[in-house]
Amino acid sequence: MTNYIYAYTHAGNAKPWTRPGGAKGDVWIKVGQTKHPGIERVRQQVNTAFPGLVGVDILFDSELAERGDGTEFTDHDVHRVLAQAGIANAGGEWFEATLDEVRGAVVSLQRGVPFSPTRVQTFPMRPEQRDAVEQTAAFFRAHPDGSPKYLWNAKMRFGKTFTTYQLACEMGWAKVLVLTYKPAVRGAWRDDLLSHVDFIDWEYVDRDTPTAEADAKLDSGRPTVWFASFQDVLGRDAEGNPKPRNETLQIVDWDCVVIDEFHFGASTAAAREVYDPQDKAEAAWAELFRKASDQADDADVEVVEAPDTRLKTKCHLHLSGTPFRAITNGDYDDSQVFNWTYIDEQREKRDWSLRGGELNPYAELPQMRMYTYSMGQTAAEWAADGEFDGFNLNAYFKAKKVGEGYVFERPDQVAEFLKLIRGQKVIDKTIIEGQAAPFPYQAEEFTEAVKHTVWYMNDVASCQAMAALLRKDAFFSTYEIYVAAGTGAGVGAKALEPLQKAIKRADASGKSGSITLSCGKLMTGVTVPEWTSIFMLRSLKAPESYFQAAFRVQSPWRIDKVIQKETAYVFEFDPNRALSLVALYGTELANNSPDRKETQRSVLGDLINFLPIFAIDGGQMESLDVDAILDWAHGGISANSLARRWKSIDLYNINGVTMDRLIQDEDLLAELEQIEDFRTIREEAEKIVTRSKQLGEVKRNGGSKQEQRPHKKEIAEKRRNIREKLKKVSAKVLIFMYLTDFREERLAHVIESLDTDLFLRSTGLSLPSYAKLTELGVINVGNMTDAIQKFRYFEKKSLEALVAAEGG
């Protein structure tokens, strides 16, 4: 029979100890072996003294006592490794050791590696992680020249740091630079490298590593990972020169530059000048367009002026859970992207369980559920009074500073919200399918979901005002209120420790739980296992930002191998906004799917199968299907609003980048110039390119607004002219869609149409040329697809109304 190692302690041996050198602990640990499950062996030993094992802490019960070559070892071998490490034997099989020291001893025997109390992780890659490594390695090997780039479009909890390191091992890389605009992810990159036995030979460097030590590690011949934030790399000393420690980054020939959290700021001109010098000019123009189009929702992202910095690398690896803009703008083709979505994850979790067999590696990843709540008639009237364009949570929870504190501008409205989430505002408690509509702090089914929550707000003022209000409230004052906002909460990962203490304080003191108030802090790069639900109390425009926040609460949570969180919850209070983003998310997933036949409807069907959505209005609850989501998302669309959508400027990307690409395509230009409206397209595109270059130069040289104005004026004029021409083409595309027999639901369906003659007759432009405009990024794929779907939805509803009228 197989040998297993187990370890436990109990209340009788809660004896503090201190070791020379400063190491200390609170208990002795017993290390033994058994051929049966460890818990049975422990029960045999201590059940008399500790009936029911009360007071016994089983640290692990079934570590396989087997080496890599198949030979077995015993508990005496573990004792020997501990003794050789200077760990005192307290008598018999008891040791003055930490749990990690005991694990380290077992791992050293299992793997045949030196003892290390910090390198105790041995888990293997999951199937999708192996696929990512194999596909990416194959791509890099097939493209050895030109610093190829590859994107991992992988949701949170994919394991990007661990998998990146596995890719580095597979490729034989020796020097890897990790850059990010989110310094909070540093802990994950450090811990995964230093805690897993697969990377035992690797060195780690970051901003806390002394310069001389960092240089020595790079020169040691051992593979090295250097972690840096863009904020640090782009920083300057008092004289405006690069920081001395960062000069090394420019000298080293890197095997790979990894951009983590790529959707946060990495596409700005400043960032791209650092990691992608080939795109210097393109990045500068893209930055101008990025600012103009107001793409970013995350206030923590800092845009820094471009320095004179270059990095040399063989490969680029970009990591993001929501890189929709980069993909739809044509920055990557299908061969450069590995996809792993929430749908993929939950489908694999389900199918693994159906197959049976070994332990399901996805079991600890909770399923998500969304509950949307209408804020009631008062909020609807307030939102429609003409002061605001529709209901807006940022305005609803707007706060201001008064004296030394913060208060809400509409305290009565916020008080109504607190009543709503406790179910006190509902008069008509209609019973639906045997139960009343549930409210977060009222329904028994949400008891565990709201024990530890995060409330995502718009700014520091609203967080502080909410904290003050909750601490005065008789019900919510029973929760530990932690404000993760402002400089006082710490920067990046440093904000995590106070939160962890707050959660422990809540549990130890018998409080109802904890409420974390954040406007962005701790929403990227850190894991808070206890968070089980998120309250969306800010208005986010982009699906990237929304789902990055939502998936924060999907982190696994285990205690003693027992899964504590089977389901994670999103509580949403602007249903139209939320469900529009869900619909758009489905569109983006469909657009990025390698299967071109995927539609928004089919992807949404898969999504809500694994992310059920429930809408609560008053006392009534409705489980939403695909049609209901689309009804909510496109609800109220009229002919006028549809017309405005098709005339919107965000359907086109007219900037120096796209116009330069257009100029390079002589065949496309020649065809466009044959169309009356596009006779001057070449001249106008060249003007935009030239003026964009000049404007970028003026800005980099610190030119005044007065010096920038003539360049901006001409760029704006030429962009407006080209957009007006393209709007006419788009209007004709609508005619084509109306006439064709195929029901297009995305831009790809238009481009891939077989009816090329009809398209030419309808628009005056050949279908291949229209496809080229899309490939060049002149037509915004995501926004155009959204417009197409709105047209189809309006057409469908109009036909249904017509049929109903004729039937009547």
Side-chain angles (χ1 to χ4, degrees):
M1 293 180 67
T2 303
N3 260 344
Y4 295 96
I5 303 297
Y6 64 87
Y8 72 90
T9 187
H10 57 61
N13 275 334
K15 301 176 181 179
W17 52 266
T18 302
R19 192 181 301 148
K24 58 185 179 180
D26 298 321
V27 296
W28 295 354
I29 295 177
K30 177 165 182 174
V31 183
Q33 73 178 47
T34 179
K35 294 187 181 297
H36 305 283
I39 192 170
E40 295 302 323
R41 180 63 176 144
V42 174
R43 186 175 285 112
Q44 293 171 10
Q45 294 180 3
V46 299
N47 196 49
T48 301
F50 300 95
L53 300 185
V54 176
V56 177
D57 187 3
I58 299 174
L59 304 175
F60 58 83
D61 62 4
S62 55
E63 285 289 338
L64 187 64
E66 187 176 282
R67 300 181 178 88
D69 60 7
T71 60
E72 291 190 343
F73 58 86
T74 68
D75 56 348
H76 295 294
D77 295 311
V78 180
H79 300 164
R80 175 176 48 78
V81 172
L82 292 171
Q84 289 173 347
I87 295 170
N89 180 284
E93 296 180 332
W94 291 88
F95 288 83
E96 295 179 353
T98 66
L99 173 58
D100 281 344
E101 287 171 339
V102 175
R103 286 194 181 281
V106 174
V107 168
S108 72
L109 293 166
Q110 289 173 329
R111 294 297 189 95
V113 297
F115 167 79
S116 170
T118 59
R119 200 173 289 279
V120 297
Q121 299 297 336
T122 62
F123 55 86
M125 284 189 284
R126 297 192 302 269
E128 74 278 5
Q129 293 171 330
R130 285 196 299 271
D131 290 344
V133 169
E134 291 171 2
Q135 292 177 28
T136 311
F139 177 83
F140 284 146
R141 286 167 179 154
H143 301 80
D145 303 319
S147 298
K149 61 183 180 182
Y150 199 89
L151 170 69
W152 285 356
N153 170 26
K155 70 167 290 292
M156 199 182 104
R157 308 265 59 92
F158 165 72
K160 61 188 176 184
T161 54
F162 171 69
T163 312
T164 297
Y165 291 146
Q166 293 290 357
L167 174 64
C169 293
E170 171 66 24
M171 294 294 297
W173 291 336
K175 293 181 174 65
V176 176
L177 175 63
V178 178
L179 292 173
T180 183
Y181 254 116
K182 285 292 185 177
V185 303
R186 177 175 66 158
W189 286 98
R190 179 191 61 235
D191 295 347
D192 273 8
L193 189 74
L194 301 181
S195 65
H196 201 286
V197 295
D198 286 354
F199 317 124
I200 196 166
D201 295 325
W202 284 73
E203 299 281 5
Y204 176 81
V205 174
D206 63 21
R207 64 180 298 173
D208 293 337
T209 309
T211 302
E213 182 183 335
D215 292 343
K217 287 184 176 182
L218 281 173
D219 295 336
S220 67
R222 293 162 64 92
T224 302
V225 171
W226 189 310
F227 177 92
S229 70
F230 278 114
Q231 290 91 327
D232 185 35
V233 172
L234 297 172
R236 289 290 186 269
D237 61 21
E239 298 178 357
N241 299 313
K243 297 177 182 178
R245 69 174 286 104
N246 291 331
E247 292 177 357
T248 301
L249 303 183
Q250 303 169 44
I251 299 171
V252 174
D253 290 323
W254 299 100
D255 291 307
C256 186
V257 172
V258 180
I259 312 295
D260 191 15
E261 302 292 347
F262 184 73
H263 53 283
F264 281 119
S267 60
T268 63
R272 290 181 72 168
E273 279 208 6
V274 172
Y275 70 83
D276 199 352
Q278 293 179 344
D279 289 343
K280 177 183 177 183
E282 179 172 328
W285 302 330
E287 170 65 359
L288 297 176
F289 177 66
R290 189 199 70 80
K291 290 181 178 179
S293 59
D294 189 26
Q295 293 179 350
D297 279 310
D298 195 297
D300 289 342
V301 175
E302 176 187 3
V303 177
V304 190
E305 288 301 317
D308 184 17
T309 306
R310 300 291 183 275
L311 296 175
K312 293 172 287 185
T313 182
K314 298 173 185 174
C315 305
H316 292 96
L317 179 65
H318 300 164
L319 312 176
S320 175
T322 48
F324 299 142
R325 287 194 185 96
I327 295 176
T328 55
N329 288 344
D331 292 350
Y332 311 86
D333 62 35
D334 291 344
S335 67
Q336 294 174 280
V337 181
F338 173 81
N339 294 296
W340 183 254
T341 68
Y342 171 76
I343 295 173
D344 296 324
E345 169 197 279
Q346 292 295 312
R347 182 186 291 124
E348 190 63 22
K349 175 181 176 180
R350 178 199 64 194
D351 294 348
W352 192 290
S353 298
L354 293 175
R355 289 193 296 266
E358 57 188 289
L359 190 65
N360 187 342
Y362 308 95
E364 66 180 1
L365 297 171
Q367 184 190 56
M368 301 285 290
R369 285 178 172 243
M370 177 184 286
Y371 287 80
T372 72
Y373 295 85
S374 295
M375 295 285 269
Q377 187 63 29
T378 304
E381 291 172 352
W382 167 75
D385 66 3
E387 184 179 355
F388 302 97
D389 181 17
F391 182 57
N392 184 292
L393 287 168
N394 298 343
Y396 190 96
F397 292 105
K398 189 175 182 180
K400 60 185 177 181
K401 190 168 186 178
V402 176
E404 296 299 314
Y406 294 85
V407 297
F408 287 110
E409 291 188 356
R410 295 174 174 80
D412 292 344
Q413 297 284 358
V414 181
E416 289 292 297
F417 162 76
L418 295 182
K419 289 181 180 179
L420 173 72
I421 61 178
R422 292 190 60 196
Q424 295 180 334
K425 195 178 174 185
V426 181
I427 299 173
D428 175 24
K429 293 196 174 181
T430 307
I431 303 298
I432 305 296
E433 296 180 355
Q435 65 173 24
F439 293 85
Y441 288 93
Q442 168 261 336
E444 186 176 346
E445 66 187 271
F446 292 146
T447 300
E448 293 301 316
V450 298
K451 186 170 184 181
H452 297 294
T453 65
V454 56
W455 294 18
Y456 196 22
M457 310 202 70
N458 187 50
D459 53 24
V460 174
S462 59
C463 288
Q464 294 288 0
M466 183 63 80
L469 193 61
L470 293 178
R471 287 168 181 152
K472 293 177 183 176
D473 185 272
F475 176 81
F476 287 103
S477 62
T478 64
Y479 287 80
E480 184 74 28
I481 311 299
Y482 175 70
V483 180
T487 55
V491 178
K494 291 183 179 178
L496 180 59
E497 186 177 350
L499 169 60
Q500 292 170 330
K501 289 181 178 179
I503 290 174
K504 289 181 180 178
R505 195 161 54 243
D507 291 338
S509 63
K511 285 196 169 186
S512 302
S514 69
I515 296 173
T516 304
L517 302 165
S518 172
C519 55
K521 208 177 291 290
L522 299 175
M523 302 305 286
T524 302
V526 297
T527 297
V528 183
E530 294 88 351
W531 281 350
T532 305
S533 62
I534 181 169
F535 285 63
M536 290 294 196
L537 304 181
R538 67 181 293 182
S539 292
L540 296 169
K541 298 177 182 177
E544 294 95 326
S545 302
Y546 188 89
F547 286 97
Q548 276 282 327
F551 285 125
R552 276 290 106 195
V553 297
Q554 207 214 356
S555 300
W557 184 20
R558 285 178 180 264
I559 298 178
D560 295 335
K561 296 186 178 181
V562 178
I563 295 174
Q564 303 295 309
K565 185 164 53 177
E566 298 283 357
T567 308
Y569 298 85
V570 177
F571 294 120
E572 170 59 58
F573 300 91
D574 185 356
N576 291 82
R577 182 278 307 264
L579 297 175
S580 293
L581 288 176
V582 169
L584 187 55
Y585 186 58
T587 299
E588 301 286 12
L589 291 178
N591 285 340
N592 301 335
S593 169
D595 181 359
R596 296 300 183 186
K597 294 181 181 178
E598 289 270 35
T599 65
Q600 180 197 46
R601 181 175 294 276
S602 63
V603 171
L604 273 178
D606 287 339
L607 180 62
I608 63 174
N609 184 44
F610 296 114
L611 198 164
I613 300 176
F614 303 89
I616 290 95
D617 190 353
Q620 299 190 29
M621 180 172 71
E622 176 188 3
S623 177
L624 302 185
D625 58 16
V626 173
D627 288 326
I629 290 175
L630 292 176
D631 283 343
W632 275 88
H634 302 314
I637 189 168
S638 64
N640 287 335
S641 64
L642 183 65
R644 286 195 300 272
R645 184 71 185 105
W646 277 85
K647 292 179 181 179
S648 173
I649 65 173
D650 68 1
L651 298 181
Y652 319 102
N653 299 324
I654 312 299
N655 53 66
V657 179
T658 57
M659 292 301 97
D660 188 50
R661 293 172 182 165
L662 177 61
I663 292 170
Q664 304 305 317
D665 195 320
E666 189 60 41
D667 291 340
L668 177 57
L669 266 182
E671 181 178 340
L672 287 172
E673 287 174 327
Q674 296 303 309
I675 303 173
E676 181 64 33
D677 286 329
F678 288 90
R679 298 289 188 196
T680 59
I681 182 67
R682 186 190 301 268
E683 175 189 342
E684 290 170 331
E686 288 175 347
K687 282 288 186 183
I688 290 175
V689 171
T690 302
R691 284 294 196 175
S692 295
K693 288 180 180 178
Q694 293 169 346
L695 177 60
E697 193 65 30
V698 170
K699 291 187 119 185
R700 281 190 286 276
N701 292 333
S704 66
K705 291 184 178 180
Q706 184 68 27
E707 293 173 294
Q708 297 174 27
R709 186 169 293 119
H711 302 291
K712 289 183 175 180
K713 182 178 180 181
E714 186 162 14
I715 290 171
E717 178 188 342
K718 300 305 180 187
R719 288 175 66 187
R720 183 167 54 251
N721 291 346
I722 294 176
R723 272 200 301 265
E724 290 304 314
K725 304 177 197 303
L726 290 171
K727 284 179 183 178
K728 293 180 181 179
V729 174
S730 295
K732 295 173 182 177
V733 170
L734 275 174
I735 296 173
F736 165 77
M737 290 171 56
Y738 183 77
L739 294 174
T740 186
D741 292 333
F742 185 71
R743 303 294 90 183
E744 299 87 357
E745 290 192 19
R746 50 193 283 200
L747 182 57
H749 294 158
V750 174
I751 293 171
E752 295 165 4
S753 172
L754 298 177
D755 207 339
T756 55
D757 290 340
L758 177 60
F759 188 90
L760 179 60
R761 293 197 305 273
S762 300
T763 66
L765 185 66
S766 72
L767 191 54
S769 291
Y770 187 76
K772 277 188 177 181
L773 288 173
T774 301
E775 292 169 9
L776 297 178
V778 175
I779 295 173
N780 186 302
V781 176
N783 292 337
M784 186 62 78
T785 293
D786 179 64
I788 289 170
Q789 288 169 350
K790 281 182 166 56
F791 170 76
R792 283 301 178 209
Y793 186 83
F794 178 76
E795 181 185 47
K796 174 190 171 190
K797 289 297 180 183
S798 299
L799 289 173
E800 288 175 353
L802 180 61
V803 170
E806 290 178 349

